[in-house]
Amino acid sequence: MRKEDFNFDLPEELIAQDPLEDRSSSRLLVLDKETGKTEHHVFREIIDYLETGDCLVINDTKVIPARLIGSKIGTDAKIEVLLLKRKENDVWETLVKPGKKAKIGTRISFGDGLLVGEVVDIVEEGNRLIHFEYEGIFEEILDRLGQMPLPPYITHQLEDKNRYQTVYAKHSGSAAAPTAGLHFTPELLKKIEEKGVQIARVTLHVGLGTFRPVKVDNILEHHMHSEFYQIEEEAAEKINTAKANGKRVIAVGTTSCRTIESAAKEDGTIAPVSGWTDIFIYPGYQFKVLDCLITNFHLPESTLVMLVSALAGREHVLNAYEEAIKERYRFFSFGDAMFIR
């Protein structure tokens, strides 16, 4: 399987730069994974496709303001640090720009010394391990100094930090939002529950590995970065009950999908679990738990396009994307949604 098999031409003007005022007024393309047939709706109409007894799986991770702009102590050179993964003893794995200015021993000041970081090691792909020094509570300082780590294709300034969070975000730790969930409002979720749909909350802290480009021609040689995930007993029970009753398990986003598939046993059941996953789902993968998927429109040649192609078939997905482009759907993080049923 070649990377180029998942390529398509996307006009730049279809990359959504700003979130809509009303989250649930995004457009919704419904794709039948068996036939490839498509329908066009507004996102709030997703409720018409959900049935009593179904289980909707949401990822309740919360994005941290992980982008820090600092200056190198001694030269005042500007350095940008993106927090990727929390280690022990105030050490974080980070992405630093420009990396050449961040040799081991480099000290960086943020917020006029409110936070100071020292590069203590360089790990795979040039990521830096940085030890942070501060007084007080790290999360409070980060909330004060950090910016939301918007993807590079979004060039507009985000006016409201909360628009890059789902309304159900709870557990801090992500470097990026689980963007399929951005379409839900508290009112829509309430209506879904009132219809008898079970909502299962799982957690996967999204790392940038999910969005890293596939650099190898043969996708089987691509290595996914690991991300932390957790499934509590209540969520596992809701998922297992839906499966046992012949109802559908519907994941909101590729992160929720990867979480439940990482935890699944061979018989399709799930036990409460936490750990690290580097699962890479591409065509040929046999889903153990997932039946349907709510997702955004993804980057060409990305692991996310490969995942949705595993569920609905590459040709069906690329045809649906072609139709979405023709119909002027909005793409990527702040864009419109697709329901694969």
Side-chain angles (χ1 to χ4, degrees):
M1 234 174 304
R2 316 302 296 175
K3 178 176 70 169
E4 65 200 29
D5 295 339
F6 301 90
N7 196 14
F8 57 91
D9 291 322
L10 178 68
E12 197 172 317
E13 67 268 19
L14 294 186
I15 299 172
Q17 292 295 325
D18 303 289
L20 298 181
E21 196 166 324
D22 172 15
R23 291 172 183 258
S24 64
S25 65
S26 302
R27 296 169 74 187
L28 176 70
L29 188 151
V30 178
L31 171 64
D32 186 311
K33 64 178 186 276
E34 304 301 331
T35 65
K37 183 173 176 283
T38 56
E39 299 171 31
H40 301 282
H41 294 273
V42 176
F43 188 81
R44 67 178 71 91
E45 293 169 350
I46 188 75
I47 194 166
D48 299 332
Y49 289 91
L50 305 178
E51 300 165 7
T52 300
D54 284 345
C55 182
L56 191 69
V57 183
I58 60 177
N59 180 8
D60 65 5
T61 187
K62 191 172 187 178
V63 186
I64 59 173
R67 187 168 171 254
L68 290 163
I69 309 295
S71 57
K72 183 174 177 179
I73 295 174
T75 68
D76 279 342
K78 180 185 168 186
I79 293 184
E80 180 179 326
V81 172
L82 188 63
L83 305 180
L84 298 179
K85 194 182 293 182
R86 189 195 289 265
K87 303 285 191 179
E88 295 177 339
N89 304 319
D90 290 318
V91 173
W92 282 77
E93 183 175 341
T94 69
L95 188 65
V96 178
K97 293 181 186 174
K100 64 186 180 202
K101 290 182 181 171
K103 297 181 171 62
I104 292 174
T106 298
R107 290 174 63 79
I108 309 162
S109 172
F110 307 93
D112 293 326
L114 194 62
L115 182 67
V116 174
E118 181 173 338
V119 179
V120 294
D121 201 1
I122 299 174
V123 292
E124 62 172 325
E125 297 201 7
N127 291 350
R128 266 61 175 173
L129 294 187
I130 294 182
H131 175 261
F132 288 101
E133 304 160 18
Y134 54 91
E135 287 184 12
I137 299 169
F138 182 79
E139 286 73 16
E140 289 181 0
I141 293 169
L142 189 61
D143 205 43
R144 189 167 152 190
L145 300 180
Q147 301 172 17
M148 278 299 180
L150 294 178
Y153 48 75
I154 294 177
T155 56
H156 291 191
Q157 189 71 32
L158 184 63
E159 298 298 324
D160 177 4
K161 275 185 183 180
N162 287 326
R163 289 316 307 270
Y164 196 56
Q165 301 280 19
T166 61
V167 296
Y168 46 77
K170 185 177 180 184
H171 300 292
S172 295
S174 273
T179 54
L182 296 178
H183 305 284
F184 287 91
T185 63
E187 296 78 18
L188 180 56
L189 286 166
K190 187 167 181 277
K191 286 179 184 174
I192 288 169
E193 283 192 290
E194 286 170 352
K195 192 170 182 177
V197 176
Q198 292 293 309
I199 296 180
R201 290 170 167 264
V202 301
T203 306
L204 181 137
H205 291 322
V206 188
L208 292 188
T210 304
F211 306 99
R212 281 191 191 275
V214 177
K215 293 177 179 173
V216 289
D217 289 332
N218 180 357
I219 69 168
L220 303 185
E221 295 170 4
H222 177 70
H223 171 66
M224 291 285 281
H225 286 62
S226 61
E227 297 164 312
F228 177 81
Y229 75 99
Q230 185 160 9
I231 301 176
E232 303 282 2
E233 188 169 344
E234 183 184 350
E237 278 181 13
K238 287 178 177 178
I239 293 166
N240 291 338
T241 299
K243 296 302 278 188
N245 292 338
K247 298 297 182 177
R248 299 173 303 169
V249 174
I250 302 157
V252 176
T254 56
T255 62
S256 298
C257 164
R258 292 174 60 245
T259 302
I260 59 177
E261 289 297 318
S262 295
K265 299 176 184 175
E266 285 305 315
D267 63 359
T269 61
I270 285 180
V273 65
S274 67
W276 295 85
T277 180
D278 60 358
I279 190 171
F280 178 21
I281 296 174
Y282 51 85
Y285 178 85
Q286 297 297 311
F287 289 90
K288 302 181 185 74
V289 187
L290 184 81
D291 296 298
C292 308
L293 179 67
I294 297 168
T295 185
N296 279 18
F297 293 93
H298 304 294
L299 284 160
E301 298 186 344
S302 65
T303 60
L304 306 179
V305 166
M306 295 167 193
L307 186 152
V308 296
S309 296
L311 181 63
R314 186 181 71 91
E315 285 189 18
H316 286 343
V317 167
L318 291 181
N319 288 341
Y321 270 51
E322 194 175 309
E323 189 173 335
I325 291 166
K326 190 175 80 178
E327 295 290 330
R328 311 298 288 174
Y329 273 66
R330 301 160 73 247
F331 273 64
F332 306 161
S333 298
F334 288 139
D336 296 313
M338 173 158 43
F339 178 44
I340 302 174
R341 59 192 286 248

